[in-house]
Amino acid sequence: MERFQYTRARTVSEAIGIAAHSSTAQQGAPVRYVAGGTTLVDLMKLGVERPTHLVDINKLGMNAIERTKEGGLRIGALVRNAALAHDPTVVRDYRALSEALLSGASAQLRNVATTSGNLLQRTRCMYFRNTAMACNKREPGSGCSAINGDNRTLAILGTSPHCIATNPSDMNVALVALDATIHVQGPKGTRTIPMQAFHLLPGDTPDRETVLEPGDLVTHITLPPPNARATSRYLKLRDRASYEFALASAAVVVEVAGGQFHYVRLAMGGVGTKPWRMSAVEERLTGAAVDDATIRDAAQLAVRDAKPQSENGFKVELAQRCLAHALRLATGLASI
Amino acid sequence: MSRSKALGAPSAPKVLGGKLPRIDGPLKVSGRATYTSDISLPGMLYAVPVRSTIASGRVVAIDDRVARKMLGVRAIYYRGNIRPFFRSGPAQGFSGLIDEKRPPFEDDVVRYYGQYVAVAVAQTMEQAKAAADAVRVQYAADAHNVERRLVAEKSLETDSERGDAEGAFKSAPVQIDQTYVTPTEVHNPIELHATVAAWEGDRVTLYETTQAVMNHREVLYQMLGVPKENVRVVSHFLGSGFGGKLWPWSHSILAAGVAREVGAPVKLVVTRQAMFETVGHRPRTQQRFRLGATRDGKLVSMQHEYLNETSILDAYKEDCGEATPFMYSVPNLRVASALARRNIGTPTAMRGPGAVPGLFAMESAMDELAIALNMDPIELRRRNEPLQDESTKLPFSSRHLVECMQVGAEKFGWARRDPRVGAMKRDGLTIGWGMATCSWGAMRSDAQATVEIQRDGTMSVTTATQDIGTGTYTVLALVASEATGIPLDKIDVGLGDTTLPPGPISGGSWATASVIPAVSAAARAAVRSLLTLSTSGKNAAFAGATPDDLHFANGRAARKSDPSSGVPLGDVLARANVRAAVGSGQSRTTFGGEESRKYSLHSFGAQFAEVTWQPETARLRVSRFVSVIDAGRMINPKPARNQIEGAVVMGIGMALFEEARYDKRYGAPINSNLADYIVSTNADAPAIDVTFLDYPDLVLNELGARGVGEIGLAGTAAAITAAVHHATGVRVRELPVRIEDLLRA
Ligand SMILES: Cc1cc2nc3c(=O)[nH]c(=O)nc-3n(C[C@H](O)[C@H](O)[C@H](O)COP(=O)(O)OP(=O)(O)OC[C@H]3O[C@@H](n4cnc5c(N)ncnc54)[C@H](O)[C@@H]3O)c2cc1C
Ligand code: SF4
């Protein structure tokens, strides 16, 4: 572990003022905000993150869950994962979000992990986390050890020849399906970013994971008003029963009318280099009959562009089963 | 010395066979039990090793200029600037054992990833870690080999043979010929390995995470080159070891060595990552198993040929054929084995070494044979139940395997089984049922114990064995209480210290069976000495009587003929001017002993597993487990049940999750943390129904007790993969069962 300076920010502008001096808000950032610390401190111990200045944002409030004027939800950046998952409004109106959060990590971690920290958690690629090994995301240009390495858990969608790491967050998958908006305050003021545009594809700069610039502080996330006639679900598949990242997961928001898919929002996790919105599948489903054949067809379409790696070819099949079953659960074709 | 007081233990009318909670439980749940890494001594420094980042090659140069000058750093040691260590000589029985025999820094050759090449010593752990990271090591790397597919380095050697196995196989009407693979598994006890070394002059005390203090001393004094009596090893509590903490590892020698150099106590805690590299593991095995049988299910041939990986320098053999020669009746049998060298750390014993991977192969093959014969797997085993151990031609001291299967079948509801694949459903899920048998050796080793009955009515029991979380403190208190009538809350048990009478290793499931006779004899001897004191000397309480006329009950010596004649033991000792009535006892080993020449000594059991399977999501879970164990008399069923339940949970991990994977380019175990090397969680553990048949094995010891630490893991994975096959039709012969395999269903 390196020596670093630590500031407990008292105001948002103080925090942003310090972080604005950072050369980057991406991998290698010399200034980092610390929220729950469950990603950041872990990576600092591993030597993957080496900030020289930590700005603790835990005293900045930003921890309320409120109704918006439009009837949506405003979630403060520092709302803990457990609080968000058990919030009665979330449980009732945004079930996929609650289910996604509760499927992640462990009860202890969820008690301390925050909404913004979860949004910005880093990949679990084992080579990224091991400084003795080459990794383009950690050290641009050093190579990608996961390609031709142990890539069983990594992505089949959105990969590049430079990086195939998954975004590991469960919450993010639900946020994509729920059309969330990220609210950011930076040195130049505030701005909003649609969840789908927040994370970047690896391309040839896998060290750049989000659109954040130095000083940018995520202040809150908003959700649009819930579709009262829709059902939302999150299904996570993994080797063991709990405390493991997804091999494949799906968040679905579905409204059925007259035996047809009327409104559909789909996103998948564990398979993409970012939380993966399935827009083409949404289109295909909208207006189609709710039956097994439609669902199977939709699942196939979901992996049309999949590019399996040496060890994760099974994800092409698993992803289809995952999406199909999530749709069955949301439409009542299956109950467990 | 740690004394584990019987804190508020309820008094049971008949202590043995009761369900006594652990007497050390309150210490543990309140955080007062001091584990090795909790130990903190004045002036203590911290050591963090530098681990090699190549798997094969040479250390060319070490540059510690930056590291040496860092904050808090006291020294950086490596080959050449630290007193060299010796190797320890060959072991004598279970004394002097070490699996990785090369001491740290012996040469400049690197033979596995993570091998210690230097060590940083600093005032805090963080400073030592930072300094270790700043040491620049230049290597000349060679090609390494961490291949998964094993190829024998030499031709196979026969472990056991009878009849003409090959000929009988060829002519058998029904044949099974399959290869089964078990992966590299890492013990992963929650407590990290640790050593705290403190020298006083030329004497050293090692607080050590060890399952064997006596053995540790035997090895360390030789490696450090000091007189044996100058080394003391202490291990009061262990956060489990599963075999990984039986024999010393390099970090212990390193901690002692650097503490000697810096002249201050040193603590070295091995990281989780390093625990995948330098403290042993269960090696990968590849086992070809061939069965030949008649159409009515009588075995005519059994062949078990197996390979296991080992390190470059050490020939560790995973004895997969441990149970093969005696488990079933078969006239023609051959067990043979060989090693495959890899650039990996040296393997070591892991819970049920040999038998656990071996029984996965054998019991899987038996299940496949039952299916080939269209026969119930229990019936197949019943038809091949042997009358004696056919490899040694000796009777079994106590074998109730058929009854284990019967009782298990009843508890499980086996009669309702529909053997067709995927035929059984419940709550919208497919269920699969599978069973397997298991066995583990019943052994006893040498042990000594001392019991002292004090004037105030308390009693101490001491022996240098260990409580590795299995309840040894409690069991020994119970035994001493039964032998003396002294209540549990007046008994102190002292363990885990080489200054105590030599006790057995906590391994092989024989610690309990070995130490009980010694403690029981010591307790009786202490009573005898008390009674002798009450009849002799001029102030004798019962002058003129002989010890045989007296007995000791309720803290008093009394005439058998006149219970009201009782004299409190404190008075007896005071009149004799004796501090305490002392007794010592010992038990002899069965290894090479008379019993093992006359009997085949083993425990047996039957495992029944139910899995649920949801094909739509490829989700497989173990939903129910029944384990029936024939392990002699249960002295304290509660911790014994814990052992079986824990082993079944571990067996679920073995069947479905656990595998250390080596990256072929770096040669490193790549999933070396508990997020990527997954083990069972609570959510994966189903209801587990454990039954002990409770037939005393009086050949083994007077109480008829055998050990239960390992047998619960044996057969478990085979029962689960049989259930997986029943549910899905997929036969997994290479563990763990993965979603990839199940997607083929
Ligand atoms: C063992 C383990 C298992 C886990 N399993 C799962 C799982 O199954 N599923 C899952 O989804 N997650 C899992 N997680 C990840 C967990 O959800 C994240 O670690 C957690 O959500 C991060 O939140 P935090 O508040 O602790 O973030 P921190 O560590 O404090 O921050 C993470 C990153 O976000 C930045 N950041 C934080 N807040 C802001 C802000 N307001 N503005 C700008 N930047 C900010 C920090 O600078 C840092 O770079 C697991 C974690 C662990 C350790
Ligand atoms: S997949 Fe990405 S994170 Fe993993 S090693 Fe390659 S570049 Fe690094």
Side-chain angles (χ1 to χ4, degrees), chain A residues 127 145 150 152 240-241 321, chain B residues 615 661 663 665-666 679 740:
Chain A
Y127 302 95
S145 297
D150 201 322
R152 176 175 185 260
R240 67 181 175 190
R321 295 202 193 186
Chain B
R661 298 190 299 272
D663 183 284
R665 298 148 311 164
Y666 296 99
V679 300
E740 289 88 317

Side-chain angles (χ1 to χ4, degrees), chain B residues 119 186 335 374 676:
Chain B
V119 55
V186 180
V335 181
N374 200 14
D676 295 307

Side-chain angles (χ1 to χ4, degrees), chain B residues 534-549:
Chain B
S534 37
T535 56
S536 50
K538 60 180 182 345
N539 290 329
F542 298 99
T546 70
D548 288 334
D549 299 333

